[in-house]
Amino acid sequence: MKSLIDTYTLSNGSKIPIVGFGTWQTQDGPLAVIAVKSALSSGYRHLDTAEMYGNEKSVGKAIRESGISRRTLFVTSKLNNHAHNYEAAREAIEKSLKDLQVDYLDLFLIHWPNPKPARDAHWEEHLQDTWRALEDAYNEGKLKAIGVSNFKRKHFEVLEKTQRLAPMVNQIRICPGDVDEETIEYCRNKDILLEAYSPLGTGKVFSDKTMKALAEKNHRTIAQVCLRWSLQHGFLPLPKSIHEDRIEENSHLFDFKLSGKDMEAIDKLDGIMGYAPDPDKVDF
């Protein structure tokens, strides 16, 4: 790994840049446009948004105003929770394409496996029908890769009953002190790439003594150490910020490497990140 444009290869052969710029909680409008353009100026070529974030139009505007060729970018969006059936999912895909003003998405994910609007006796059927909509859009060339977010093994097993294509990505929360080993092992065995949202956790990492010591030892920021840890584990981190200096700072991950002992010290952290959402309990 040498730069932000280095790639992992998905199970369908698609290339995906190893770090993405996240836009969760980034307010729609000028703030989002400036943040995304700053990320592109810093070398990011992988952008992650979602209908649920409410900022797809701003992300699309930033892409157009950047002057960077669409073909050189990797753009991800996600299905909102109200669209868990075939027709609604098809409409949502078209809406994301329209709002982003792109002809295709490089990756499209089911945002949540079991959201409250579809949490009933037929939730498995809803999920299977939703996945079929993604498969059809993929076969039509509207989506270059398809995957999921916040899925655990039992959710994948529901898809496996009817799927024609296996998910290529699972975007879950992974950060120091919050690592779902069971889900990670399952995905790796199935050749499903793991994207790490909230790779810096909820902010508690910045006051952790171990992380402070490792940052000082490596002459790096705590955020850079977190992101480097993620990369060295083979995850794809999605850092986010609205501050231009931090966006730039978080891109400098390739001129240092954490030692084996450093990695072990971070791996041993537990419980410093607080609450992690449960896909079967959170009322999304």
Side-chain angles (χ1 to χ4, degrees):
M1 298 180 294
K2 297 180 180 179
S3 72
L4 292 171
I5 61 172
D6 282 3
T7 59
Y8 294 125
T9 301
L10 299 180
S11 59
N12 71 336
S14 293
K15 303 291 185 181
I16 180 170
I18 60 176
V19 180
F21 181 71
T23 62
W24 179 47
Q25 294 182 329
T26 301
Q27 184 179 348
D28 192 39
L31 191 67
V33 173
I34 292 170
V36 172
K37 288 172 72 173
S38 295
L40 293 172
S41 295
S42 295
Y44 290 87
R45 291 297 180 267
H46 177 176
L47 304 174
D48 182 272
T49 185
E51 182 185 352
M52 190 185 297
Y53 300 168
N55 57 23
E56 287 178 309
K57 290 182 179 179
S58 294
V59 172
K61 182 178 180 181
I63 290 171
R64 293 189 303 278
E65 291 183 357
S66 74
I68 296 172
S69 170
R70 168 69 181 92
R71 294 190 302 274
T72 68
L73 300 178
F74 192 101
V75 182
T76 299
S77 195
K78 309 176 194 74
L79 183 76
N80 210 337
N81 290 334
H82 60 74
H84 271 238
N85 63 63
Y86 183 86
E87 292 301 332
R90 293 283 290 183
E91 291 174 6
I93 291 167
E94 294 299 330
K95 182 178 186 301
S96 286
L97 291 170
K98 180 180 178 182
D99 287 348
L100 284 159
Q101 292 193 32
V102 295
D103 296 326
Y104 66 91
L105 283 164
D106 298 276
L107 177 63
F108 193 76
L109 309 177
I110 295 178
H111 208 147
W112 206 260
N114 193 14
K116 189 174 183 180
R119 197 175 297 164
D120 57 29
H122 304 288
W123 75 270
E124 293 189 5
E125 182 180 340
H126 294 319
L127 189 56
Q128 291 162 349
D129 286 347
T130 300
W131 184 249
R132 183 165 55 90
L134 270 65
E135 291 176 322
D136 286 350
Y138 172 87
N139 288 328
E140 293 163 3
K142 294 178 180 179
L143 310 176
K144 301 301 182 182
I146 53 177
V148 297
S149 182
N150 297 299
F151 272 49
K152 294 183 179 292
R153 177 173 185 152
K154 67 178 182 180
H155 305 117
F156 285 108
E157 290 174 344
V158 170
L159 293 187
E160 286 173 359
K161 296 175 183 178
T162 60
Q163 70 188 24
R164 294 165 289 167
L165 294 168
M168 299 152 196
V169 168
N170 188 18
Q171 185 180 123
I172 62 176
R173 180 168 133 156
I174 307 174
C175 53
D178 187 359
V179 181
D180 183 349
E181 294 287 2
E182 182 180 355
T183 298
I184 289 169
E185 181 180 6
Y186 178 86
C187 290
R188 284 180 164 160
N189 288 338
K190 295 289 186 177
D191 196 19
I192 299 169
L193 180 69
L194 289 148
E195 290 189 332
Y197 73 72
S198 297
L200 309 181
T202 57
K204 293 182 180 179
V205 68
F206 296 103
S207 59
D208 181 77
K209 293 180 180 179
T210 297
M211 295 303 295
K212 286 182 176 180
L214 290 174
E216 183 176 351
K217 172 189 171 184
N218 287 280
H219 307 290
R220 297 289 165 169
T221 67
I222 290 176
Q224 288 169 331
V225 171
C226 285
L227 297 172
R228 185 68 205 184
W229 169 84
S230 190
L231 286 171
Q232 287 182 216
H233 271 303
F235 307 137
L236 194 161
L238 300 164
K240 64 167 288 290
S241 180
I242 59 172
H243 303 288
E244 293 183 46
D245 55 341
R246 292 180 187 168
I247 292 170
E248 171 68 19
E249 189 175 81
N250 289 343
S251 72
H252 296 290
L253 307 173
F254 305 98
D255 55 352
F256 78 105
K257 185 175 182 179
L258 298 173
S259 70
K261 289 185 177 181
D262 291 346
M263 293 291 288
E264 289 176 10
I266 299 173
D267 290 344
K268 290 178 181 177
L269 296 176
D270 184 39
I272 66 170
M273 295 306 167
Y275 171 73
D278 185 326
D280 293 316
K281 295 180 180 178
V282 177
D283 287 340
F284 285 127

